[in-house]
């Protein structure tokens, strides 16, 4: 009885090694170890043997069973691994494959506001400026105080700031303009400085044809010896011309910002003859230079900050700034 069984176990190892799939392994396992198998029958017949023979036969039977179980497990492991490898091979994607072209491929493009931002950077880099960035979440020091806006100052109210619930009340905020980047630049660099800093800005403004609650500004800062308001006016003129051509005019209007003195607002002309306010500008206030460790007796500067979304509206003659955030591809694909 035992010999026949051990022979079957040895055969089974060969059959398992050749099994092509997991179903075949399960069938062999049933045949070898299942309820109707020779193994189960041999186990049952152990009780017919003399007690002396029984122990030795039982050990041989167990050894054969362990051998078969190991062979079954090995076959399963082999087929699972190769099954996975086959599945991976079948699911493999060739990322370099080029499908035969049935229709002309349509290329995407950048959002018109991104295009305006890139164009602005190019124009200013062409004028010798470098490009910097600052964080979108700011402290009251950078967004206000260092810019000569102490907490009692009424100008704080005019920014409709969106505060973030972190630290002391009204200490952390989404920056309401890109002017804090002026401070970060002057803290870290020595004049002469010629930098522009584009980026997202946030205000609790209700969206309308000319306002968005999240919009983009570009800040400009020049600090050097003997800088005058004339340099500022010339720089604004130059970039308006580079961006819009000669038909569009710009004008400066006296205004007030705590961080510049004197201050102005600049507008550009629309095709219908009206003016659109694009930004604020002025000579950097001596207090702001001092706050950053720059001696106002030795250095002067001008700064400006204007809305990139507003500029893109002008550039493409769009009536409503909200079109930029509606994400209607039919609209966006025109630019
Ligand atoms: C400022 O933010 C000043 N930091 C600008 C500045 C910089 C002055 C440096 C002097 C020196 P103001 O709040 O006016 O100023 O905003 C500047 C421009 O941002 C506006 O002229 C407009 O073009 C744009 N802007 C402001 N609010 C919005 C809004 N809700 N949606 C779209 N554009 C806006």
């Amino acid at each position: 009885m035992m010999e026949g069984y051990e022979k079957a176990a040895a055969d089974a190892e060969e059959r398992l090694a050749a099994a092509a799939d997991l179903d075949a392994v399960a069938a062999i396992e049933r045949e070898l170890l299942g309820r109707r198998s020779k193994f189960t029958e041999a186990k049952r017949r152990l009780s017919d043997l003399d007690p002396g023979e029984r122990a030795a036969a039982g050990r041989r039977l167990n050894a054969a069973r362990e051998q078969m179980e190991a062979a079954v497990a090995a076959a399963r492991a082999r087929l699972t691994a190769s099954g996975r490898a086959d599945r991976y091979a079948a699911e493999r994607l060739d990322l370099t494959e080029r499908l035969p072209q049935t229709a002309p491929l349509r290329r995407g493009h950048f959002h018109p506001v991104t295009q305006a931002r890139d164009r602005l950077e190019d124009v200013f880099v062409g004028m010798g400026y470098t490009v910097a960035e600052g964080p979108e979440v700011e402290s009251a020091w950078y967004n206000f105080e260092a810019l000569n806006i102490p907490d009692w100052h009424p100008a704080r109210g005019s920014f409709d700031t969106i505060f973030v619930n972190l630290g002391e009340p009204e200490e952390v905020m989404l920056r309401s303009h890109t002017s804090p980047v002026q401070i970060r630049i002057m803290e870290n660099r020595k004049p002469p400085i010629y930098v522009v800093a584009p980026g997202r800005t946030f205000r609790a403004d209700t969206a309308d044809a000319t306002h968005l609650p999240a919009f983009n500004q570009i800040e400009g800062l020049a600090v050097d010896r003997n800088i005058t308001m004339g340099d500022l006016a010339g720089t604004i003129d130059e970039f308006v011309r580079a961006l819009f051509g000669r038909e569009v005019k710009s004008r400066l209007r006296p205004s007030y910002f705590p961080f510049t003195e004197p201050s102005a607002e600049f507008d550009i002309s629309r095709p219908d003859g009206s003016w659109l306010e694009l930004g604020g500008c002025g000579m950097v206030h001596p207090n702001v230079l001092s706050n950053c460790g720059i001696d106002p007796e030795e250095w002067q500067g001008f700064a400006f900050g204007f809305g990139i979304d507003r500029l893109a509206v002008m550039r493409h003659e769009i009536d409503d700034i909200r079109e930029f955030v509606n994400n209607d591809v039919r609209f966006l694909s025109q630019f």
Side-chain angles (χ1 to χ4, degrees):
M1 167 192 98
M2 292 311 299
E3 287 74 15
Y5 189 69
E6 281 165 344
K7 165 120 186 17
D11 284 354
E13 276 192 287
E14 266 174 46
R15 285 168 59 205
L16 283 166
D21 57 36
L22 291 169
D23 287 344
V25 174
I28 298 172
E29 184 184 27
R30 236 183 348 265
E31 185 188 318
L32 288 169
L33 299 164
R35 267 196 303 137
R36 275 184 245 276
S37 66
K38 287 210 176 78
F39 172 76
T40 308
E41 194 194 324
K43 219 166 58 175
R44 210 177 302 124
R45 285 220 243 125
L46 279 178
S47 55
D48 299 341
L49 297 175
D50 292 339
E53 283 175 68
R54 202 186 293 156
R59 271 196 298 278
R60 281 173 68 182
L61 201 57
N62 274 341
R65 178 180 53 87
E66 277 169 20
Q67 190 185 335
M68 279 187 295
E69 280 172 353
V72 166
R76 281 224 166 87
R78 170 176 63 80
L79 287 168
T80 313
S82 79
R84 205 182 290 132
D86 286 350
R87 205 178 74 235
Y88 288 167
E91 289 176 359
R92 184 171 168 273
L93 285 178
D94 179 1
L95 298 178
T96 63
E97 185 180 36
R98 295 193 61 167
L99 293 176
Q101 205 168 313
T102 49
L105 283 177
R106 292 217 354 243
R107 285 185 72 176
H109 62 71
F110 284 114
H111 191 281
V113 174
T114 309
Q115 291 179 33
R117 175 185 161 151
D118 288 351
R119 179 81 186 104
L120 276 166
E121 286 182 14
D122 289 350
V123 168
F124 281 107
V125 166
M127 290 163 77
Y129 285 70
T130 56
V131 180
E133 279 191 339
E136 292 177 357
V137 178
E138 272 294 10
S139 64
W141 167 259
Y142 286 104
N143 201 71
F144 292 129
E145 265 130 59
L147 288 163
N148 206 27
I149 320 175
D151 58 6
W152 50 263
H153 202 290
R156 280 214 187 184
S158 70
F159 280 103
D160 296 316
T161 310
I162 299 173
F163 292 98
V164 174
N165 203 359
L166 274 176
E168 296 288 305
E170 308 207 343
E171 265 307 307
V172 184
M173 61 210 68
L174 299 181
R175 64 178 176 192
S176 49
H177 50 170
T178 43
S179 297
V181 191
Q182 285 186 37
I183 305 299
R184 292 181 176 276
I185 293 165
M186 286 191 282
E187 276 178 347
N188 289 305
R189 300 190 201 179
K190 300 235 165 312
I193 294 171
Y194 289 87
V195 176
V196 286
R200 291 208 298 171
T201 45
F202 308 85
R203 290 185 199 177
D205 281 343
T206 306
D208 63 23
T210 52
H211 293 83
L212 291 172
F215 55 104
N216 296 269
Q217 287 189 340
I218 185 165
E219 195 78 9
L221 174 71
V223 182
D224 208 336
R225 292 193 168 88
N226 305 319
I227 287 215
T228 69
M229 197 82 181
D231 298 312
L232 170 61
T235 305
I236 290 175
D237 239 27
E238 184 65 33
F239 106 80
V240 169
R241 193 169 312 150
L243 232 70
F244 297 106
R246 285 181 187 281
E247 317 81 69
V248 174
K249 294 186 184 49
S250 64
R251 70 173 185 193
L252 291 182
R253 275 182 294 125
S255 185
Y256 171 76
F257 295 100
F259 34 96
T260 44
E261 179 58 38
S263 304
E265 247 153 349
F266 64 94
D267 307 330
I268 53 178
S269 65
R270 288 169 135 158
D272 67 1
S274 66
W275 296 91
L276 180 74
E277 177 201 305
L278 207 56
C281 59
M283 300 304 292
V284 180
H285 196 289
N287 290 355
V288 175
L289 293 172
S290 304
N291 283 340
C292 303
I294 295 177
D295 180 1
E297 299 294 326
E298 188 181 352
W299 303 98
Q300 297 78 48
F302 66 72
F304 56 81
F306 51 81
I308 302 180
D309 315 72
R310 291 255 182 110
L311 191 136
V313 158
M314 280 293 301
R315 215 172 161 212
H316 302 295
E317 295 174 24
I318 294 161
D319 317 317
D320 194 321
I321 202 168
R322 287 169 293 192
E323 297 280 14
F324 284 149
V325 288
N326 288 340
N327 277 342
D328 183 336
V329 181
R330 289 165 304 181
F331 169 79
L332 293 174
S333 63
Q334 301 173 71
F335 306 104

